[in-house]
Amino acid sequence: MNSEQLFKARIVNLILSRKPEDALKALSQYYKVITPELKVGMPKGHSRNVGCYIAKKRTIYVSNLNELHNPYVILHEFYHHLRTHNMKHKGTEKHAEGFAKDYIQAYEIASTQV
């Protein structure tokens, strides 16, 4: 595994180890962006979702404590944070999904090599 794949595996491990804030801090340093806030409980108008990113508040919201430790949700919403410039979102759901799956796949490969 190369260093990028190991980094991705470490990020997923942090989230699964109940340290999503540490994962977001490491991701933000890696991508050179401001670390987003992380809150449990969905804002108005988003209650049907398990997670969302609100650019104006630079905050990732998750619906409950279980989702707080779900790598897919955290990474998917971080992608939206990463792709937001001047309060305008420049990414797509498909790309956010791919971003999250790429990290999870790196974790799964690393787990089998231990």
Side-chain angles (χ1 to χ4, degrees):
M1 280 194 109
N2 65 30
S3 61
E4 182 182 0
Q5 294 301 99
L6 287 172
F7 171 78
K8 290 176 179 181
R10 186 172 72 88
I11 294 299
V12 172
N13 187 56
L14 282 170
I15 297 167
L16 290 172
S17 300
R18 302 186 175 273
K19 298 177 183 172
E21 294 89 354
D22 293 348
L24 290 175
K25 200 176 292 183
L27 283 164
S28 297
Q29 288 173 346
Y30 184 79
Y31 289 104
K32 298 175 176 52
V33 296
I34 294 168
T35 304
E37 298 262 346
L38 184 58
K39 294 191 177 180
V40 176
M42 299 300 286
K44 263 189 184 163
H46 297 274
S47 61
R48 292 177 183 234
N49 302 339
V50 293
C52 74
Y53 175 70
I54 304 295
K56 284 183 183 178
K57 295 187 177 189
R58 288 191 176 121
T59 302
I60 292 171
Y61 292 88
V62 294
S63 60
N64 59 57
L65 285 173
N66 289 337
E67 302 307 335
L68 191 60
H69 307 114
N70 180 334
Y72 179 83
V73 173
I74 299 298
L75 290 162
H76 180 103
E77 299 310 332
F78 181 80
Y79 179 83
H80 291 306
H81 170 68
L82 192 59
R83 298 296 297 147
T84 299
H85 302 285
N86 298 324
M87 300 304 155
K88 291 190 173 136
H89 186 255
K90 305 285 187 186
T92 66
E93 287 301 310
K94 185 173 112 180
H95 289 120
E97 190 175 304
F99 181 84
K101 285 181 177 179
D102 186 43
Y103 273 75
I104 293 166
Q105 184 178 39
Y107 174 80
E108 289 169 349
I109 291 168
S111 297
T112 63
Q113 295 181 353
V114 173

